[in-house]
Structure formats: structure tokens, C-alpha cells
Amino acid sequence: MIPKEVYEETLLTFLSPIRPFLDDPKVSEVMINGPNQIFIEKGGKLILTDARFASLEALNSALRNIAQFVGKMVDEEHPILEARLPDGSRIEAIIPPAAPDGPDVAIRRFFKETLTVQRLIDFGSLTPEAAQVLECLVSLKQNVVVAGGTGSGKTSMLNALSSFIPNGERIVIIEDSREVQLQRQHVVQLEARPGDAKGRGKTTIRDLFRATRIDPGGLAEFIRVPAENVELDVHVLPDGMSDTTGT
């Protein structure tokens, strides 16, 4: 079995054309439109770079390696890939035939600097009164749904809200693709998995949610689901499980 550190370095080698952007803390997103056009978002502005992948096959090889890293597949039968890099940066990729001129790839950077409730107040994004209300909701184990557009900070808000959870709680995180990073001691991270070519091994968010109901005592759940699965939250809230926070 390949050591994790070696595999991660190999993965970044496949991404060598964009490695400088992944190492630049000021770059918030990298967008790849085929092997010959790469944009970055820096300081809130989109910038066309001179970076290129050597060939279409080089870009496809990078995506296959990323898919392997997270235990997923990307091919003509599975043209959409949602994955992550070793540092937690999130990747959305669409390949032909779903993207005729693709592959089209977006990498949203994961920043290690923690966004706290106090920082949200300092930024003016949250009032002290609103923070007190949220703290009461979490402390009283009320169900909370965080909603917003892509890149609006839903996951960052979940991370910030987790600071209100007492250290004695067991936290279970259920995600379609692992992204939430909580700074807590007792955390269980669960991730949905697609099936293989024959549908074997598939584990849905709903499956994972049902599994956590075995022993809900002292449990705080964080569920992050994509828009097409939003009905899961509607079913979760009246399902007898309190203290569920989700996006």
C-alpha cells in the first residue's frame, strides 16, 4: 500500500501546472477550462494565467488521480466529480460528454485560518446580538439550517457555530464530500460514497444519517448536503433528532 504522504505528493505532481496557485494563500479559486486555459481568483478578481497542462491526457490523468485519492470514479459514465485535495480544497470537475469542451474544473481553496464567531463580528458580518441568538440555539440543541449560494461561506459558518458546542458532546459530521474541519476533540467524520460500475459499495447521506440514529444521546450532528439532496434536511428535522446543524 502506498504511504499517504507519498500518494499526496504524487497527486500534487499531476497538478504541477497549477501548483504555484495552490501554494499562494491569496488565490481563492483556480478554474481550469480545458488544458490550455486556466483562470484564478485573486483579491476578488478573475485573472487569466499563462499556465497550461501539457495535454488533454495530462489533465485527464490528474483528474483520475484525484478521483482515486477520494475513492471515486470519473469517466464517460461518471462525468461529474466532486472531490477534495489533501489540504481540504474542494474540487468540482465535469468531463466530456457532459462538458463537450472540457474538462472543466473548479478548485475552491481551503484556508487553514479558522473563521471564528468573534472574527465574523469584527468583520461586521454578524452582530453581537445575532451571535448570542445562535449560541442559544446551539446550546439548547435546536435544529439549525445554514443556507446560501456557492462560495457564500456556509461551511465556514458551520465551523464557527461548532465553537458553541460543549466539549463533552460527540459530534458526527455527514458530508457528500469531506470539507468541514471542526476543532473539537470528539468528532466522527462520515462521507457518502458512490457505487462502482455495478452499483456496489454505494453509501448515501441518508444511509449515514440513519446509522447515526443508533445512539443519538449526547450527539451533535452536522450534515452538509448538495442542493439536489435538500429534501434530506426536511426529513431530518422532524425525525426526532435534535441538535442537527446542516447546510
Side-chain angles (χ1 to χ4, degrees):
M1 183 175 179
I2 302 176
K4 183 174 181 290
E5 296 77 10
V6 175
Y7 191 85
E8 290 178 356
E9 187 60 34
T10 301
L11 174 60
L12 291 175
T13 299
F14 277 96
L15 296 173
S16 58
I18 61 171
R19 183 76 179 266
F21 310 132
L22 298 178
D23 292 335
D24 186 344
K26 295 182 180 179
V27 173
S28 56
E29 190 164 355
V30 180
M31 290 147 280
I32 304 168
N33 304 326
N36 299 316
Q37 189 179 67
I38 299 175
F39 285 84
I40 61 171
E41 183 179 71
K42 191 172 185 178
K45 296 182 179 180
L46 293 182
I47 302 171
L48 177 62
T49 72
D50 294 328
R52 302 285 188 274
F53 279 84
S55 64
L56 177 61
E57 180 55 33
L59 177 54
N60 284 329
S61 296
L63 292 177
R64 287 194 294 268
N65 197 264
I66 292 168
Q68 184 181 2
F69 177 70
V70 294
K72 296 183 178 181
M73 293 186 295
V74 59
D75 52 33
E76 289 187 357
E77 294 183 358
H78 307 85
I80 300 175
L81 173 66
E82 181 175 295
R84 66 181 184 278
L85 292 180
D87 68 353
S89 295
R90 187 172 180 179
I91 296 180
E92 298 284 348
I94 307 175
I95 68 170
D101 299 326
D104 296 318
V105 186
I107 303 176
R108 194 168 68 208
R109 301 291 311 287
F110 172 78
F111 296 103
K112 297 181 180 179
E113 189 175 6
T114 303
L115 184 65
T116 64
V117 172
Q118 185 57 52
R119 291 189 67 196
L120 287 172
I121 295 174
D122 294 340
F123 292 153
S125 301
L126 192 68
T127 65
E129 292 77 15
Q132 290 178 355
V133 171
L134 291 171
E135 182 175 10
C136 288
L137 291 173
V138 175
S139 299
L140 294 173
K141 297 191 175 183
Q142 299 300 300
N143 294 320
V144 178
V145 176
V146 180
T150 301
S152 60
K154 299 184 297 298
T155 302
S156 296
M157 176 59 79
L158 283 183
N159 288 333
L161 289 178
S162 70
S163 65
F164 295 140
I165 300 175
N167 283 322
E169 298 279 3
R170 177 183 182 230
I171 304 172
V172 175
I173 302 173
I174 304 174
E175 300 182 84
D176 186 65
S177 181
R178 183 170 175 173
E179 188 173 348
V180 176
Q181 304 282 341
L182 301 188
Q183 304 302 313
R184 277 290 184 268
Q185 186 175 27
H186 195 175
V187 177
V188 177
Q189 299 229 205
L190 304 177
E191 184 177 25
R193 307 282 286 196
D196 60 16
K198 295 183 179 180
R200 296 173 300 191
K202 181 178 181 179
T203 305
T204 66
I205 288 180
R206 190 180 298 278
D207 293 332
L208 295 173
F209 169 69
R210 287 171 178 164
T212 63
R213 294 174 61 194
I214 296 174
D215 181 19
L219 175 67
E221 281 199 295
F222 277 61
I223 303 176
R224 188 178 62 80
V225 301
E228 61 270 22
N229 290 331
V230 72
E231 78 278 0
L232 177 65
D233 276 341
V234 178
H235 290 294
V236 165
L237 298 181
D239 205 31
M241 181 75 77
S242 63
D243 202 11
T244 298
T245 305
T247 68

